Amino acid sequence: MDTLPETLLSTIQNFKVYDGLPSNVTHPFATSAETSCGVLQDIIQASDQLANSLNQYLQADFTNTKLVSLLRQQATLSRSLHLSDLNIQQTLHAFKQRSKASYGEDIPQDRGALIDWCVARCEAWGRLVGMETFKDEVGEGSISFVFGGKVLVVDLELSIDRADPLDPKIRVSKAKTSYAISNPEATTMDGSLSLDAFLKDSFQCFFAEVQKPDEQRDPVEAAKLGSVILDHFRYLVMLDRLAERKEDGGVRWFVDVDQLCTVVETFAKSEAEAVALSMSTERSPLDIFLLRAHTLPLPYLKSPSLSFLTYLSPLAYLSLLRDSSALPTDPNMNLPNFDIPLHRLRSKLATSLKGATIATLTLSPPIESHIFPASMSIPTLTARPTFSLVPAGSDLEHVFPQLADLPASTLDPVNNESSGRNVWFLDFTEGGKYPGIVMSQSRMREIELVINPLSSMETMNTMGMMSFGTGSWVDLLINPSSLVSPERYVSIFRSPSSAHPPLQLRLTAPEEPGFVLHKIPVNSMKEVWGVLEVVREQCWLNEILSGCEWNPEGLQLSHEQNDEQDNVTEADLDAVLSGSVTPRKIPVNIFVPSHSGSPGPIFDNPGLNDIAPKVHRTKIVMTSPERPPISGLVEICVSFDETKPRGVNVELNGAMGSDLRPEVMEEICRRGGTLSLSGRIWAKAHGSLQ
């Protein structure tokens, strides 16, 4: 059927195919930013067309009733055809959005045919990504592969053990990368040893899975491992095409990651030593390092690039610490020394670890979108990153490789097949496997200021927060599926040791919208550090609020109220009169102060030193009544502070008679007990908590 002519109604109906634009991902730092931006531009263009068409209809003469009747009939037929076409498009769109059914690898049941099948899979992967693949059998027990690109060459050697003819074994004996350099002379440069080990482990994991016993082998898991190898090859091929370019290519697209790793690992080691010195310990605690330092670089963890461990929840840290207590420390003196060995940490993070926030620096395929600004480094306008542990880190800078801004006519058409430009991203979803990080609007603005300091120069405080009916970021964090945005949430916290009565927590949702952060464009290492500082503070706050099971106030906890309808005894009355009554629950009000990450107007300040925005401490405030017979309120303010020994600062107002030391309260917060501070202080008021 030919394309139907557009009408006023069909123009509006076409946008129903997109099923709306989710408000929590319609921002430049979402995975679908380019698609959403294109849809919004289409809506703006269609709105202009509708306005022009309606203005033209004002001049039409509709006194001819026959003409009006024919127009109505034609409009009805066109609407039916457009609705049918719309239904087909929506059906196809729904099928495309479904996750592709994976039945796993077609692993042969005959163990004798498994070796040939593995060799065939290696050949298929090389050809699928467009690399020249050569296979060579070196004797009876070894097969070598050469995967060649324009610059990159990957040598893979497989060792075959046929001691048992019915069950032969295959493993990876060596993986080696090299780069072909044509200018000024044709030479070969050895690749990265870390990349070699990464590729070797990737292939070996696939071979180990398909060679498991039949009752343990998982074809679906084998298919996932195979797709991971394919993704690694695709990424390397993309770098190979960039390295091939005559104008702005070269092996720098491959070696930049290793050069960057040397810089950031050395800096991380110096920060770890500073943390250990402040704690008077030989090895730096990993959780405190992540709160006070600039993340932990982990090269070639999940992709042929550099990953950063940004945050680790208290539960994840304590579980790692318990499992690593009997393991030896890392012998490498060039790497940071932690209480958790790095090889143990990498093995856990390589699979999955709940409570760990990882950002991966990756280069995107060419995109045509212009929503991401170019690099703009103005230190006087940015408050991040900060260097409280090692001030010399402010002198470190590493700019990522970029394509030259050359006109299309000067580029080699053979090497310029795809339009657009490649952008460096910090990815928090691991390629779409995870949902992302819930962020408040003020912290999203802070991130925007890090990568583009001039984007928020105007005064934003007069506008206030615009939620557009989507609720607060707390709703997005603890109640994402609800259509109602309550003003408060309630929860019950019970002490595992019954050291204090249950805490009746009452959280006031801030009037600040939230977004889900997926990826952020970056151009330099300082931008990465600045962005991850903001993300780290948000993750710290999210973990505290996620420590309890919250319910909207007034909709739940009716059974808790029914349990309280007990008979009052004379002893209870005497306790009330004497002031020694123990409450059934201690009410605790919680709120999270909001702040704007935008600087004030620059023309109101005479000096440039006053232009730079100040870093606002992320904090959570809790208020509860004093323990009888003392009247009044106790206010506890827990703030994120990288200058403190444990990365947090606890301020206590009130609490007459309590001698709980600040370092003890900071240690409680470190171990995930921030919301229990009110109960501990209540119990300590009369020295009952040891």
Side-chain angles (χ1 to χ4, degrees):
M1 184 177 64
D2 296 336
T3 303
L4 297 173
E6 293 291 343
T7 63
L8 294 177
L9 186 58
S10 65
T11 302
I12 300 175
Q13 290 173 346
N14 289 336
F15 294 103
K16 293 184 178 181
V17 179
Y18 300 106
D19 196 20
L21 296 173
S23 59
N24 60 329
V25 298
T26 308
H27 56 89
F29 305 144
T31 303
S32 59
E34 298 87 354
T35 304
S36 300
C37 183
V39 174
L40 292 175
Q41 290 178 350
D42 293 341
I43 292 176
I44 294 174
Q45 184 178 1
S47 300
D48 294 338
Q49 293 177 353
L50 288 174
N52 294 331
S53 300
L54 291 175
N55 290 332
Q56 292 179 3
Y57 278 120
L58 293 176
Q59 304 175 0
D61 184 14
F62 294 104
T63 57
N64 190 341
T65 58
K66 184 176 181 181
L67 175 62
V68 173
S69 178
L70 292 175
L71 289 175
R72 286 179 176 176
Q73 184 179 4
Q74 192 270 341
T76 302
L77 293 176
S78 299
R79 183 173 185 273
S80 299
L81 292 175
H82 279 290
L83 287 177
S84 177
D85 183 62
L86 178 63
N87 185 34
I88 295 174
Q89 293 183 46
Q90 289 177 334
T91 303
L92 293 176
H93 182 72
F95 279 120
K96 291 179 180 179
Q97 292 299 319
R98 292 182 59 189
S99 58
K100 297 181 179 180
S102 176
Y103 300 98
E105 290 281 359
D106 189 14
I107 307 174
Q109 298 297 321
D110 184 9
R111 290 283 177 172
L114 187 60
I115 302 300
D116 295 335
W117 179 83
C118 291
V119 172
R121 293 301 297 152
C122 293
E123 290 183 285
W125 290 330
R127 294 193 178 98
L128 282 174
V129 298
M131 300 183 75
E132 297 183 7
T133 306
F134 304 95
K135 182 185 72 171
D136 185 18
E137 295 187 9
V138 185
E140 297 182 357
S142 180
I143 297 178
S144 63
F145 282 95
V146 177
F147 304 99
K150 301 297 183 181
V151 176
L152 174 67
V153 178
V154 180
D155 296 317
L156 183 68
E157 290 188 6
L158 307 179
S159 178
I160 302 174
D161 182 9
R162 301 185 184 273
D164 185 359
L166 299 179
D167 189 14
K169 299 295 182 181
I170 183 174
R171 65 179 182 86
V172 182
S173 58
K174 187 180 72 171
K176 181 176 177 56
T177 57
S178 58
Y179 312 122
I181 303 176
S182 57
N183 292 322
E185 298 178 357
T187 58
T188 301
M189 175 181 176
D190 291 337
S192 168
L193 296 178
S194 300
L195 179 58
D196 297 345
F198 176 75
L199 293 176
K200 179 181 178 181
D201 292 341
S202 300
F203 278 93
Q204 187 58 45
C205 288
F206 177 81
F207 293 151
E209 180 64 35
V210 300
Q211 293 181 106
K212 288 182 178 179
D214 295 340
E215 60 274 8
Q216 300 179 6
R217 185 168 54 190
D218 187 359
V220 176
E221 180 65 22
K224 292 180 180 179
L225 295 174
S227 64
V228 168
I229 296 176
L230 205 57
D231 291 339
H232 297 340
F233 268 7
R234 288 196 181 102
Y235 187 80
L236 293 175
V237 167
M238 180 185 65
L239 296 181
D240 181 75
R241 292 174 179 172
L242 293 175
E244 182 195 6
R245 293 166 61 105
K246 297 180 179 179
E247 296 79 11
D248 46 11
V251 295
R252 64 190 180 101
W253 293 97
F254 289 103
V255 302
D256 182 75
V257 172
D258 295 279
Q259 295 174 353
L260 176 61
C261 289
T262 303
V263 175
V264 295
E265 286 178 344
T266 303
F267 182 63
K269 180 184 177 182
S270 61
E271 288 191 315
E273 293 173 351
V275 171
L277 182 62
S278 65
M279 298 292 294
S280 300
T281 58
E282 181 181 357
R283 294 180 294 173
S284 172
L286 179 60
D287 61 332
I288 296 179
F289 171 85
L290 293 176
L291 291 178
R292 301 188 60 190
H294 289 88
T295 72
L296 177 63
L298 298 171
Y300 301 104
L301 179 67
K302 295 179 177 292
S303 67
S305 187
L306 180 60
S307 298
F308 300 91
L309 178 59
T310 306
Y311 180 76
L312 201 61
S313 67
L315 180 60
Y317 167 73
L318 292 176
S319 62
L320 282 172
L321 187 63
R322 181 180 301 175
D323 296 340
S324 307
S325 58
L327 296 177
T329 58
D330 296 303
N332 195 336
M333 301 302 296
N334 296 324
L335 298 177
N337 189 15
F338 298 112
D339 53 354
I340 299 175
L342 283 179
H343 65 273
R344 175 65 176 176
L345 179 65
R346 290 183 64 96
S347 63
K348 282 290 186 180
L349 296 178
T351 54
S352 62
L353 180 61
K354 185 178 180 181
T357 302
I358 299 176
T360 301
L361 180 66
T362 182
L363 187 65
S364 72
I367 56 177
E368 298 183 5
S369 176
H370 299 284
I371 62 177
F372 305 116
S375 177
M376 186 179 299
S377 178
I378 308 178
T380 57
L381 295 182
T382 56
R384 300 180 186 271
T386 59
F387 299 91
S388 58
L389 282 176
V390 183
S394 59
D395 299 330
L396 298 178
E397 181 62 302
H398 184 97
V399 180
F400 308 137
Q402 303 288 340
L403 293 177
D405 295 331
L406 300 175
S409 59
T410 62
L411 297 178
D412 188 354
V414 178
N415 302 331
N416 193 35
E417 298 175 356
S418 56
S419 58
R421 63 188 182 98
N422 302 82
V423 180
W424 289 96
F425 282 105
L426 271 179
D427 183 18
F428 295 90
T429 64
E430 196 179 331
K433 295 181 181 178
Y434 299 102
I437 302 174
V438 175
M439 301 285 294
S440 64
Q441 185 184 43
S442 59
R443 291 180 182 85
M444 292 289 278
R445 287 178 176 173
E446 284 195 72
I447 292 176
E448 184 184 17
L449 282 173
V450 172
I451 63 176
N452 188 9
L454 298 180
S455 62
S456 298
M457 293 299 293
E458 67 277 4
T459 303
M460 302 295 292
N461 296 330
T462 58
M463 297 175 57
M465 296 295 179
M466 298 179 293
S467 62
F468 300 103
T470 59
S472 69
W473 64 268
V474 172
D475 300 327
L476 195 60
L477 176 67
I478 63 181
N479 194 21
S481 59
S482 177
L483 300 178
V484 181
S485 178
E487 293 184 4
R488 296 174 182 86
Y489 289 92
V490 292
S491 180
I492 300 297
F493 180 88
R494 302 182 186 276
S495 172
S497 59
S498 300
H500 54 79
L503 304 180
Q504 187 170 10
L505 306 179
R506 192 164 178 256
L507 172 64
T508 302
E511 296 182 359
E512 182 180 3
F515 304 90
V516 178
L517 178 64
H518 296 158
K519 61 181 182 179
I520 302 173
V522 290
N523 298 283
S524 66
M525 195 58 216
K526 277 193 175 179
E527 291 183 4
V528 172
W529 280 332
V531 167
L532 294 183
E533 281 185 8
V534 182
V535 174
R536 175 185 60 185
E537 296 179 11
Q538 183 71 59
C539 291
W540 173 79
L541 190 57
N542 291 352
E543 182 62 28
I544 292 177
L545 297 179
S546 301
C548 290
E549 183 178 352
W550 300 94
N551 296 289
E553 186 180 34
L555 301 181
Q556 300 291 337
L557 301 181
S558 59
H559 60 282
E560 296 281 352
Q561 299 174 359
N562 295 332
D563 294 343
E564 297 179 2
Q565 304 299 326
D566 299 335
N567 296 326
V568 180
T569 63
E570 293 185 1
D572 295 334
L573 295 176
D574 294 338
V576 172
L577 296 175
S578 62
S580 60
V581 63
T582 300
R584 297 180 183 274
K585 295 175 184 175
I586 301 176
V588 180
N589 293 324
I590 305 173
F591 72 97
V592 181
S594 301
H595 66 272
S596 175
S598 302
I602 63 176
F603 298 108
D604 292 347
N605 300 319
L608 289 176
N609 294 331
D610 298 329
I611 300 177
K614 298 180 180 179
V615 176
H616 297 267
R617 299 294 181 191
T618 301
K619 60 182 66 176
I620 181 170
V621 181
M622 297 169 284
T623 58
S624 59
E626 290 271 12
R627 182 169 181 173
I630 302 175
S631 61
L633 290 177
V634 177
E635 182 182 82
I636 308 170
C637 179
V638 182
S639 58
F640 185 98
D641 191 348
E642 68 277 1
T643 62
K644 296 296 181 179
R646 292 174 177 82
V648 294
N649 182 35
V650 181
E651 298 178 2
L652 180 61
N653 295 320
M656 299 295 294
S658 176
D659 58 349
L660 204 60
R661 300 189 307 273
E663 57 269 18
V664 175
M665 293 187 290
E666 292 174 2
E667 184 66 22
I668 293 173
C669 295
R670 175 196 174 191
R671 297 178 181 271
T674 301
L675 298 180
S676 69
L677 282 177
S678 298
R680 290 174 178 266
I681 292 174
W682 184 93
K684 195 68 173 178
H686 290 269
S688 59
L689 183 61
Q690 303 298 331

